[in-house]
Amino acid sequence: MSNKNYVRNGHRININVTEAKRGRWDWYYTIDALNYTSLRERPAASEDLAMSEAERDANRKADSMPTGDA
């Protein structure tokens, strides 16, 4: 399991990646401790790929929101 926390566009993003089944990885994240988003229907082939997918999705969502104050 890996975890990444950072601020983007004034919003706090918290990403978690967990191993679902042998070598398959799920991810989920929150933005500002709200807006829970996950992808468990299509596990990634590696932990790094799951983290990259989650970051890309979270960044897109944070960039589309009004600037936060984090």
Side-chain angles (χ1 to χ4, degrees), residues 5-55:
N5 297 292
Y6 59 99
V7 174
R8 178 150 179 137
N9 193 29
H11 298 282
R12 292 190 187 284
I13 297 173
N14 179 5
I15 299 173
N16 291 285
V17 174
T18 58
E19 190 170 15
K21 298 179 194 174
R22 297 178 171 165
R24 305 302 289 177
W25 297 83
D26 293 336
W27 56 259
Y28 64 93
Y29 65 82
T30 59
I31 298 178
D32 298 330
L34 306 168
N35 300 313
Y36 178 87
T37 302
S38 69
L39 182 66
R40 298 181 193 279
E41 304 81 33
R42 193 189 66 207
S46 73
E47 185 175 13
D48 289 340
L49 284 173
M51 182 61 76
S52 293
E53 283 183 24
E55 282 184 73

Side-chain angles (χ1 to χ4, degrees), residues 8-9 11 13 31 57-67:
R8 178 150 179 137
N9 193 29
H11 298 282
I13 297 173
I31 298 178
D57 196 72
N59 290 345
R60 181 190 53 77
K61 189 177 278 187
D63 289 346
S64 72
M65 299 168 74
T67 302

